[in-house]
Amino acid sequence: MTKFLDERLGGIFKTPEQREYDAFFNQALKDFESLGFIKIKENGVEILDREGLENYLKDFGKLKN
């Protein structure tokens, strides 16, 4: 997966601060895959559960009562 992301996104992030964001982006993709929302493939990313991902992102950071 890292090779795929480096090939696709490596040229976009140039400064050390932007490389740090790249690491966060990579980790977010891994997290989304482990939660079953996406599948990372050699030629791209397949969204498995679009509605679940949308709901997760909508509720991210909110405390549930």
Side-chain angles (χ1 to χ4, degrees), residues 33-45:
E33 185 174 39
S34 72
L35 292 168
F37 296 133
I38 65 172
K39 175 71 177 161
I40 299 171
K41 298 183 171 186
E42 192 65 31
N43 61 348
V45 176

Side-chain angles (χ1 to χ4, degrees), residues 21-53:
Y21 290 123
D22 188 30
F24 290 130
F25 179 76
N26 290 344
Q27 186 60 51
L29 286 180
K30 291 178 190 176
D31 292 344
F32 291 150
E33 185 174 39
S34 72
L35 292 168
F37 296 133
I38 65 172
K39 175 71 177 161
I40 299 171
K41 298 183 171 186
E42 192 65 31
N43 61 348
V45 176
E46 178 183 1
I47 299 175
L48 302 174
D49 183 4
R50 181 178 302 275
E51 186 176 320
L53 181 57

